[in-house]
Amino acid sequence: MRILISFLLCVLLTGTAAAQVRPVVVQPVEGPPLDAGVPGWGSVCMVGNQNPAAYAVTDWIHGDESYGTMFFAERPPCGCAGGFFITAVHMLMNFGPEDVPVSFDAYATFRENSFDEATGCNVPGAFLCSSPVWQSPVWTVNITSAGLYDVQLDMGMAECPCAEFGYTYAVTMDILTPFTSYPDAVIDDAPVGCTSYLDSGLGWQDLQPVGFPGESVVFADVWCCDDAVPEEPTT
């Protein structure tokens, strides 16, 4: 992607944690995102990283890889008396003129957390459900023009469990199609750590040590439910 840049950060991935060396080059991104993918059927609130998009990490998303975000499920502002379940997962992506038109297959998951003793971080853990539960294993997303997109994947209604508030969970977007021209990852300007992850085949890697100056904008739509099942983190 052509780099028109007023803010630049370049860090090379090193060591065995990286499936391949990728430079971290960021530029500001603006504007409300366009909708893409398959929206969920509704929500009472959202969980995950809902911060405004601040930067595009250029040429970062190669495809055939998974992106995840950790979140703590708080009852306010959802107002659910019982628990919650996920109706859709969102991930912001930026496509340049050279990246489109493009179609890619993807699916989303809702997961327990797993504590990684080596890093002291929670990482995405065991599957709780995957999208779409009622049609096929994947969705096909079509992007016809350049721009900032909110890629949404419907989780369906039938098999996502009723999860309990007050625990840490993860949502992921798994992009199955390799890209020939790489779109940009989209991040906020509030780095936290132990939050945004990439799995390109060697396990979940925190994107903060890689050099991201913010967290991936990945979040999920939530609906209320009864009879919540407590989260049981694994190690």
Side-chain angles (χ1 to χ4, degrees), residues 170-183:
V171 289
T172 73
M173 188 167 291
D174 300 69
I175 300 171
L176 303 180
T177 306
F179 291 107
T180 55
S181 182
Y182 304 142

Side-chain angles (χ1 to χ4, degrees), residues 90-232:
H90 302 245
M91 177 175 168
L92 266 57
M93 301 171 63
N94 192 61
F95 293 81
E98 66 277 22
D99 301 330
V100 295
V102 66
S103 296
F104 61 93
D105 290 338
Y107 68 95
T109 72
F110 176 43
R111 298 171 179 247
E112 298 177 344
N113 81 75
S114 178
F115 183 73
D116 183 351
E117 293 184 355
T119 63
C121 292
N122 289 314
V123 302
F127 286 91
L128 292 171
C129 63
S130 175
S131 72
V133 297
W134 50 270
Q135 185 190 37
S136 65
V138 298
W139 292 115
T140 297
V141 180
N142 300 302
I143 307 294
T144 58
S145 59
L148 174 64
Y149 283 88
D150 175 1
V151 177
Q152 308 170 45
L153 298 181
D154 179 28
M155 294 296 289
M157 296 173 57
E159 296 182 15
C160 280
C162 184
E164 189 171 20
F165 288 98
Y167 293 90
T168 298
Y169 299 91
V171 289
T172 73
M173 188 167 291
D174 300 69
I175 300 171
L176 303 180
T177 306
F179 291 107
T180 55
S181 182
Y182 304 142
D184 306 334
V186 177
I187 60 176
D188 63 18
D189 59 358
V192 176
C194 298
T195 300
S196 302
Y197 288 91
L198 166 68
D199 185 352
S200 56
L202 295 177
W204 292 107
Q205 180 181 22
D206 186 356
L207 291 173
Q208 283 299 296
V210 167
F212 273 35
E215 303 294 347
S216 300
V217 183
V218 179
F219 56 97
D221 297 332
V222 160
W223 198 261
C224 299
C225 57
D226 298 321
D227 302 322
V229 177
E231 154 71 327
E232 297 181 0

